[in-house]
Amino acid sequence: MFIHSETNTKAESVLSWLGSHKKQETQKSLANRFGKSRTFVSLSLNKQSVTKASEQIVNDIYEYLVEKYGI
């Protein structure tokens, strides 16, 4: 679990959205967009890696999805 509860909520929202919109985005496509490995993105979204970098990627992915798809 991340220190900031908002980040936990964002990670859950992103995972839920990805599960319903596999044709639009995947963890792999998001990893490529942000220049990270799919493993790092997966660990971050599943809250198994809770470093500052993980928290930042979750926030960045959430902001991207809100801007592009209006989640």
Side-chain angles (χ1 to χ4, degrees), residues 10-70:
K10 288 177 182 179
E12 291 167 9
S13 296
V14 169
L15 283 174
S16 175
W17 187 88
L18 286 173
S20 301
H21 298 87
K22 292 178 181 171
K23 291 185 178 184
Q24 293 171 311
E25 295 285 349
T26 62
Q27 288 184 6
K28 181 67 176 166
S29 68
L30 292 171
N32 289 339
R33 172 168 299 283
F34 291 97
K36 305 291 183 190
S37 71
R38 191 210 51 85
T39 302
F40 176 71
V41 170
S42 178
L43 289 173
S44 298
L45 290 174
N46 288 301
K47 298 178 268 182
Q48 294 174 335
S49 171
V50 293
T51 63
K52 192 169 194 165
S54 293
E55 190 165 359
Q56 184 62 48
I57 194 68
V58 168
N59 289 323
D60 289 347
I61 289 171
Y62 183 82
E63 288 175 27
Y64 165 73
L65 293 176
V66 166
E67 287 176 19
K68 185 162 185 182
Y69 300 106

